[in-house]
Amino acid sequence: MKNYLSITDIPDLDIAIQEALEMKEAPYAFAKAGTQKTIGLLFFNSSLRTRLSTEKAAKNLGMEVMTLNVNSDSWQLEFEDGTVMDASKAEHIKEAAQVLSQYCNILAVRAFPTLENKAQDEAEVVFTAFTQYATVPIVNLESSTAHPLQGFTDAITLFELTEQCRKEGRKPKVVLTWAPHPRALPHAVPNSFVKTMQRLDVDFTITNPEGYDLNPEIAKDASIIHNQEEALKDADVVYVKNWSSYVSYGTVIPQEGNWMVTAKKLEVTKQAKVMHCLPVRRNVVIADNVLDSEASAVIQQAGNRTWAAQWVLHKILKNG
Ligand code: CP
């Protein structure tokens, strides 16, 4: 693996899940793989899990870690080619990416979308520039349209949560449900979750209100149901996430009814486990009576971020 920009960069997801679970059992089995190697973590946006789990993963592999909050700690970066840099942006990505590549053996980057300009967001300007100008591998820590480390984490967690289905010899029913949020949120997490589910042997359904269908090029032939109660029926795993409208790009459309996931709504499921990438707004997205119950798998899921990152970094290191 050279770069990790999409869940599709993992050639065999089933094998990757098993190898990541082996790392969970033996975190220091490859403690020398990253000796005398440095990873640079570049954050254009806030993070708790991604930052610390990736740092931990790199350290478990023996790597040195340097973390930069780009917007607050560094020079403002210009990404446009041929621009006259006479305003606030002091450094061009052409120099920055090449300089960072002198200091780091891997660069990992988080850069969220504007949610204002769909074409610009989908062009992944920051990641395109880093992959073009950096001379070392690039890892996506969440871009405008993808969060592949979260996607891989979700695959690992789903495997752990569905042992009973495997014993019964049936596919787990997995439902991705939209839930409310006061702010407009990106599509990166649901996009990567959908792409991940397309690669696993699951019975997958998406439920969201009218106007919130995901990018049809990503959702492709996924079953989309606009009635949450109907969708949740017999679910084994419910993945909860808010996203802003894709068709009315980046907007929050006022909703009738309440899509928040509660214990009452889960009564129609097969005692489903509930996943969410976190952070989660309690009693807006998911009710306390779910998050504080046996149904919640969100802490286990967040813990698995380390093993997903560690598997990816190890593959890149092995590639040289
Ligand atoms: N799920 C996730 O990416 O969390 P952070 O935004 O805290 O990194």
Side-chain angles (χ1 to χ4, degrees):
M1 185 185 291
K2 180 166 187 321
N3 298 315
Y4 185 63
L5 301 172
S6 162
I7 187 80
T8 55
D9 289 328
I10 298 178
D12 187 321
L13 193 50
D14 293 311
I15 291 175
I17 291 167
Q18 295 311 316
E19 290 177 349
L21 287 170
E22 285 166 23
M23 284 181 163
K24 186 172 180 174
E25 286 297 311
Y28 306 109
F30 303 102
K32 290 194 174 16
T35 305
Q36 297 183 352
K37 305 275 186 193
T38 300
I39 185 168
L41 307 182
L42 309 178
F43 285 89
F44 289 82
N45 307 94
S46 307
S47 169
L48 186 154
R49 279 143 292 273
T50 305
R51 175 172 172 163
L52 296 185
S53 63
T54 311
E55 285 191 11
K56 185 169 168 60
K59 287 175 182 173
N60 286 352
L61 294 167
M63 299 186 83
E64 299 291 330
V65 181
M66 297 195 292
T67 301
L68 189 67
N69 293 314
V70 182
N71 288 335
S72 58
D73 299 347
S74 182
W75 306 107
Q76 290 244 334
L77 289 180
E78 176 62 64
F79 288 87
E80 208 170 299
D81 210 9
T83 192
V84 177
M85 290 172 58
D86 58 356
S88 59
K89 293 177 180 168
E91 177 146 26
H92 201 281
I93 186 65
K94 284 186 183 179
E95 283 78 44
Q98 290 180 77
V99 170
L100 288 162
S101 302
Q102 311 282 305
Y103 307 150
C104 302
N105 304 93
I106 299 174
L107 289 172
V109 183
R110 166 169 281 199
F112 289 173
T114 62
L115 289 180
E116 287 166 7
N117 183 329
K118 187 190 277 189
Q120 200 178 320
D121 288 346
E122 291 189 337
E124 295 282 16
V125 174
V126 173
F127 281 82
T128 304
F130 269 103
T131 46
Q132 185 175 359
Y133 299 119
T135 55
V136 296
I138 303 296
V139 173
N140 183 340
L141 299 178
E142 189 171 343
S143 66
S144 296
T145 64
H147 195 351
L149 283 176
Q150 184 68 56
F152 184 28
T153 300
D154 297 338
I156 296 166
T157 311
L158 194 73
F159 180 86
E160 291 179 321
L161 295 177
T162 53
E163 193 183 344
Q164 187 57 33
C165 298
R166 286 193 295 283
K167 277 186 190 156
E168 292 171 16
R170 63 179 180 85
K171 284 185 191 183
K173 178 175 175 181
V174 180
V175 179
L176 168 62
T177 180
W178 183 93
H181 196 284
R183 293 182 51 222
L185 296 191
H187 306 97
V189 169
N191 283 349
S192 286
F193 188 70
V194 170
K195 283 188 173 190
T196 303
M197 292 308 102
Q198 286 163 350
R199 300 188 65 194
L200 295 176
D201 192 22
V202 295
D203 169 7
F204 181 53
T205 297
I206 306 172
T207 184
N208 53 257
E210 302 273 1
Y212 278 101
D213 287 1
L214 290 164
N215 180 349
E217 280 178 31
I218 291 176
K220 286 184 193 150
D221 45 11
S223 142
I224 301 171
I225 297 178
H226 296 126
N227 180 322
Q228 190 187 39
E229 187 182 349
E230 186 188 330
L232 290 177
K233 229 170 267 173
D234 295 329
D236 295 291
V237 176
V238 176
Y239 196 104
V240 189
K241 186 71 185 87
N242 171 270
W243 57 88
S244 56
S245 174
Y246 179 75
V247 65
S248 304
Y249 190 66
T251 62
V252 175
I253 306 166
Q255 281 311 304
E256 282 188 16
N258 192 349
W259 281 68
M260 177 173 71
V261 171
T262 62
K264 178 87 191 138
K265 287 192 181 168
L266 295 178
E267 284 175 5
V268 298
T269 69
K270 288 194 165 139
Q271 295 188 304
K273 290 290 185 184
V274 174
M275 296 173 67
H276 187 285
C277 63
L278 303 182
V280 63
R281 289 188 184 232
R282 282 174 170 257
N283 304 313
V284 175
V285 179
I286 305 178
D288 280 346
N289 63 15
V290 174
L291 286 167
D292 296 331
S293 77
E294 289 291 310
S296 176
V298 300
I299 305 302
Q300 177 181 344
Q301 186 182 354
N304 284 336
R305 290 295 307 269
T306 302
W307 319 117
Q310 194 164 320
W311 184 91
V312 166
L313 296 183
H314 186 234
K315 286 290 174 223
I316 292 174
L317 287 167
K318 266 176 67 178
N319 197 42

